[in-house]
């Protein structure tokens, strides 16, 4: 007889290979969102300087960025379900989803891993089981989650 009941939290842990696949998908979506955001900023600067004419409908690019963000959020929700189960009424899940909606998925991951405010620390403690997966995500795609550090490093390289 198994020491872990089939309905326990431990038996609900996802298979490591499936979780890695989900993390890879989130990483790819994050990179797409950041690339589109960078492109949108460059285009805005060119339009403002008059170098390029504005596109017929500039909302298309914004819609693309928003679409990728929604896909990334959906992937994070899926990881929540894999790690914590399908319940949406937990305080951890509700707090996380509200925060992702407010600040975006990239900033959410940064807050969980490196936040210094008391609310960030509480979030990190609540999501402790996700930390190894989030750390792997950052290690695999550091440019997606370390954009501020990369920006400073690029300034030093150029100077």
């Amino acid at each position: 007889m198994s020491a872990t009941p089939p309905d326990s939290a431990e038996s609900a842990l996802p298979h490591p290979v499936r979780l890695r696949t989900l993390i890879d998908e989130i990483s790819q979506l994050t990179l797409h969102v950041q690339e589109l955001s960078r492109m949108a900023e460059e285009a805005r600067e060119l339009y403002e300087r008059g170098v390029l004419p504005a596109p017929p409908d500039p909302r298309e690019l914004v819609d693309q960025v928003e679409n990728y963000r929604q896909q990334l959020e959906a992937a994070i929700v899926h990881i929540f379900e894999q790690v914590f189960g399908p319940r949406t009424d937990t305080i951890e899940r509700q707090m996380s989803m509200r925060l992702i909606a407010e600040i975006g998925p990239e900033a959410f991951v940064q807050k969980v891993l490196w936040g210094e405010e008391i609310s960030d620390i509480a979030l990190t403690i609540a999501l402790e089981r996700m930390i190894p997966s989030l750390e792997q995500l950052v290690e695999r795609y550091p440019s997606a989650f370390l954009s501020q550090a990369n920006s400073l490093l690029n300034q030093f390289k150029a100077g």
Side-chain angles (χ1 to χ4, degrees):
M1 179 161 231
S2 172
T4 304
D7 59 339
S8 73
E10 187 174 319
S11 67
L13 289 177
H15 188 274
V17 174
R18 178 69 180 138
L19 186 57
R20 187 172 312 278
T21 301
L22 292 171
I23 291 171
D24 289 344
E25 290 173 11
I26 289 174
S27 299
Q28 289 300 317
L29 288 170
T30 300
L31 293 173
H32 287 299
V33 168
Q34 288 186 333
E35 181 65 15
L36 286 172
S37 295
R38 184 191 60 75
M39 290 169 57
E41 180 62 26
E42 288 176 3
R44 184 188 61 77
E45 289 174 6
L46 291 172
Y47 301 144
E48 286 177 355
R49 290 187 296 172
V51 175
L52 290 177
D57 186 2
R59 290 173 284 178
E60 288 179 25
L61 188 56
V62 172
D63 291 343
Q64 288 177 345
V65 169
E66 186 58 31
N67 183 38
Y68 279 116
R69 179 182 171 157
Q70 289 172 358
Q71 289 178 16
L72 182 58
E73 287 179 21
I76 289 175
V77 166
H78 192 71
I79 281 188
F80 265 99
E81 290 173 357
Q82 292 293 316
V83 174
F84 293 107
R87 287 186 57 189
T88 60
D89 61 345
T90 64
I91 188 75
E92 297 88 353
R93 180 78 171 262
Q94 291 175 353
M95 184 173 33
S96 296
M97 293 302 109
R98 187 172 355 121
L99 193 55
I100 289 170
E102 289 174 12
I103 66 173
E106 298 92 347
F108 171 78
V109 171
Q110 292 169 335
K111 212 173 229 325
V112 171
L113 294 179
W114 305 297
E116 296 177 357
E117 297 177 13
I118 293 198
S119 62
D120 300 341
I121 295 167
L123 182 64
T124 300
I125 292 168
L127 302 177
E128 184 176 20
R129 289 176 44 201
M130 286 184 75
I131 290 176
S133 299
L134 295 175
E135 287 173 341
Q136 288 175 353
L137 184 67
V138 171
E139 287 174 9
R140 181 146 185 182
Y141 298 98
S143 62
F145 297 101
L146 301 172
S147 59
Q148 294 156 336
N150 288 331
S151 174
L152 287 173
L153 288 174
N154 288 335
Q155 288 176 8
F156 283 118
K157 289 178 186 177

